[in-house]
Amino acid sequence: MVQLASQDNAAQDIGALMRQQRQFFDAGSTRSVAERVENLKRLKQAVLEAQADIVQALAADLGRPEFEATTFETGVVMEINEAIKHLKRWAKPKWVMPSLMQFPSLAQIYAEPLGIVLIIGPWNYPVQLMLSPLVGAIAAGNCAVLKPSELAPHTSRAIAHLIRKTFDPSFVAVVEGGVETSQQLLEQRWDHIFFTGGTAVGKIVMQAAAQHLTPVTLELGGKSPCFVDADIDVMKAAQRIAWGKFINAGQTCVAPDYLLVDRRVKLALVEALNTTLQAFYGDDPATSPDYGRIVSDRHFERLARLLGQGAVLTGGQTNAEQRYIAPTLLDDVSLSAPIMQEEIFGPILPIIAYDTLDEAIALVQAKSKPLALYIFSRDRDYQTRILHRTSSGGVCINDTILQIAESQLPFGGVGDSGIGRYHGKASFDTFSHHKSVLRKFFRFDLDWRYAPYKNKLGMLKTMIK
Ligand code: NAD
């Protein structure tokens, strides 16, 4: 971990760290694929060893139950196994067949590391969203600097400790701090910036990156809608919706933000959601060991304000001291109220009934493109109509959240919900430059391309038809 003694010399420290990493990278120290695999194994081992510390830190920051810490944090980071298994194949230069015009020649695409990359993370899944991108960065042969969120301070410390124990800072380092530290980091010239956070800060990151023409991956948020058809298994749908919405007390970037429910099934769904919430968290979720807390007072107050923007069907209880907000179902929300304009990012679920699917689709089309979109229906035609007429980072049909757990499916947003994608091979590609190499020989030369061009134009025109 890099200790930034004071804001005055923080920039100097960051500069020194980057010079160190640049030197390490330029010396070719990250090029060997075998060494990258060893580093991934080291990271895996370190995460496994730090499991107890991580669980403790997440409980302190977010009241996160151990089951969720294991499933959604360290469990997700174990996609590292896939990188270890496939890296040799991913990193191999790919042969492609050149056109006849190039004869004789050979053509290859090399995946080369970008250099030194900055990874900035949010607080809501503070381990996964730091270490998963790091897997891609290491696999692709980069040096990396991580900036965890200051809003999950215990976890930030745990990550810094884990990385310091495992890697030399000239290869991977953690810089802890808040917005100012983040801004100082963003002033530097990186070879890639991988940012996970809100859309507003995403714009700041992109602006800073533009100063150096640094490419960015922006993993942002948004209002992810959940369509519910009348033809469903109501109980199963309710369980899967409640699970996706209320894990981590709703503070999940791909949580269903609001429901668009066929009016004919609304009552049955609300009943099933109530039964489900009772089964998940008991009569009083405030006493459940499996229900989380809101990350900060600011977010608690923001969410408490949103609670008043509809009729509470279920829940609605709050406790400011504990930053507790009960799992809440809201009816009668106005489409122009803030709750339907901003990302909720908390345990409040507005339920909007529709009479025609077209009307529900129009509602989604009128908003920014979301990170996720959910469809509950047995009807293929219903599913297809939504798939073809809406745009979102990803889609999950008849479940929630699980689309991001499939490493064969690249994960990322579109429009306001982000730029770029990762997970599995997509992470390797995100942190690589795919360099095209054409290899020619001194034998054979079609000299018609050289001046003088007299009498050659006719032939050229025939060739390019
Ligand atoms: P945030 O954008 O406020 O903060 C993210 C990071 O940016 C933090 O490390 C913070 O220190 C830094 N930061 C904050 N303000 C900054 C500024 N002005 N200049 C430079 N850096 C700054 O996000 P958050 O509140 O930590 O996380 C919640 C948001 O993240 C939600 O919108 C959620 O949807 C989104 N999110 C997206 C994903 C995804 O994978 N797409 C995952 C998790 C969270």
Side-chain angles (χ1 to χ4, degrees):
M1 172 185 48
V2 172
Q3 300 280 4
L4 299 183
S6 72
Q7 287 306 335
D8 287 345
N9 52 21
Q12 250 176 325
D13 290 350
I14 291 169
L17 172 66
M18 289 185 71
R19 276 192 298 282
Q20 221 181 325
Q21 289 210 343
R22 182 73 65 200
Q23 215 171 12
F24 187 78
F25 180 79
D26 287 346
S29 316
T30 62
R31 292 281 169 156
S32 149
V33 172
E35 186 58 29
R36 292 185 212 173
V37 170
E38 282 315 305
N39 283 326
L40 289 171
K41 287 181 180 165
R42 256 174 234 141
L43 179 61
K44 175 181 170 177
Q45 191 54 32
V47 172
L48 292 175
E49 282 169 14
Q51 174 74 15
D53 291 349
I54 288 173
V55 166
Q56 228 175 23
L58 287 164
D61 288 331
L62 292 154
R64 175 87 46 92
E66 183 171 357
F67 186 86
E68 289 185 13
T70 309
T71 319
F72 302 117
E73 300 278 8
T74 47
V76 176
V77 178
M78 285 308 139
E79 74 169 85
I80 205 168
N81 290 326
E82 196 184 339
I84 291 170
K85 189 163 165 206
H86 299 297
L87 184 56
K88 228 169 131 185
R89 182 165 53 81
W90 294 346
K92 227 177 173 168
K94 306 279 174 296
W95 289 104
V96 292
M97 181 66 85
S99 68
L100 208 58
M101 290 257 285
Q102 299 286 5
F103 181 83
S105 70
L106 297 171
Q108 274 179 302
I109 301 168
Y110 281 75
E112 68 174 21
L114 296 171
I116 59 176
V117 302
L118 173 64
I119 301 173
I120 301 180
W123 51 264
N124 65 329
Y125 289 91
V127 177
Q128 178 207 142
L129 297 171
M130 275 285 105
L131 300 187
S132 247
L134 179 63
V135 171
I138 293 178
N142 298 280
C143 294
V145 171
L146 314 184
K147 209 299 275 172
S149 170
E150 70 283 13
L151 294 186
H154 297 86
T155 315
S156 172
R157 221 159 301 140
I159 291 173
H161 182 65
L162 179 159
I163 293 295
R164 190 181 38 196
K165 250 180 53 183
T166 315
F167 298 119
D168 191 278
S170 56
F171 173 43
V172 182
V174 174
V175 175
E176 288 194 87
V179 174
E180 272 182 54
T181 306
S182 189
Q183 284 165 343
Q184 279 166 338
L185 286 163
L186 287 170
E187 279 166 16
Q188 312 297 318
R189 179 186 290 273
W190 302 92
D191 295 305
H192 193 91
I193 299 174
F194 189 106
F195 171 81
T196 307
T199 301
V201 182
K203 290 178 187 174
I204 294 174
V205 170
M206 196 160 171
Q207 243 167 11
Q211 302 310 310
H212 303 290
L213 279 185
T214 298
V216 290
T217 302
L218 301 177
E219 296 283 340
L220 311 177
K223 281 188 91 58
S224 300
C226 178
F227 288 84
V228 185
D229 189 13
D231 181 17
I232 48 165
D233 176 331
V234 180
M235 202 57 214
K236 266 283 151 255
Q239 284 172 333
R240 293 173 182 183
I241 290 167
W243 175 72
K245 178 69 186 186
F246 297 110
I247 47 169
N248 203 22
Q251 301 163 109
T252 302
C253 58
V254 283
D257 190 275
Y258 60 99
L259 301 186
L260 291 166
V261 187
D262 185 314
R263 194 176 299 283
R264 292 168 297 170
V265 81
K266 182 181 162 191
L267 267 181
L269 183 71
V270 170
E271 239 170 72
L273 282 167
N274 280 333
T275 310
T276 301
L277 289 174
Q278 227 279 340
F280 282 5
Y281 307 119
D283 288 335
D284 181 9
T287 59
S288 165
D290 299 327
Y291 187 68
R293 294 294 183 267
I294 305 306
V295 69
S296 67
D297 292 339
R298 184 171 69 84
H299 280 287
F300 174 86
E301 280 152 25
R302 179 183 65 79
L303 287 162
R305 269 197 301 277
L306 295 185
L307 270 179
Q309 293 174 11
V312 172
L313 289 171
T314 307
Q317 300 83 357
T318 61
N319 179 334
E321 209 170 293
Q322 290 186 16
R323 298 196 305 272
Y324 166 79
I325 296 184
T328 299
L329 307 181
L330 269 198
D331 203 358
D332 294 333
V333 294
S334 152
L335 296 181
S336 58
I339 191 158
M340 283 307 294
Q341 298 298 318
E342 61 185 67
E343 180 183 14
I344 296 172
F345 218 59
I348 307 170
L349 183 62
I351 302 177
I352 297 163
Y354 68 81
D355 294 305
T356 67
L357 181 57
D358 282 345
E359 145 202 346
I361 288 175
L363 197 147
V364 172
Q365 285 172 332
K367 294 188 177 300
S368 305
K369 294 178 182 178
L371 184 57
L373 183 149
Y374 300 107
I375 305 170
F376 282 85
S377 175
R378 289 196 178 95
D379 180 354
R380 283 299 271 268
D381 180 54
Y382 180 98
Q383 298 171 4
T384 309
R385 278 168 69 193
I386 298 170
L387 278 177
H388 286 183
R389 291 176 54 198
T390 62
S391 177
S392 57
V395 172
C396 186
I397 298 173
N398 293 328
D399 216 319
T400 59
I401 311 279
L402 294 179
Q403 74 278 16
I404 73 163
E406 174 48 65
S407 65
Q408 298 296 315
L409 291 174
F411 170 58
V414 57
D416 279 9
S417 57
I419 295 173
R421 52 205 55 75
Y422 75 128
H423 287 181
K425 165 82 162 42
S427 292
F428 174 83
D429 288 335
T430 284
F431 286 103
S432 299
H433 165 57
H434 296 276
K435 183 163 74 179
S436 296
V437 177
L438 183 71
R439 203 175 300 241
K440 301 283 283 187
F441 307 95
F442 291 111
R443 280 173 292 149
F444 305 112
D445 199 6
L446 296 177
D447 60 5
W448 63 269
R449 67 180 152 143
Y450 304 128
Y453 301 128
K454 200 169 169 231
N455 300 331
K456 293 177 180 171
L457 191 59
M459 181 173 141
L460 177 65
K461 284 184 173 167
T462 322
M463 284 178 74
I464 61 169
K465 255 183 204 161

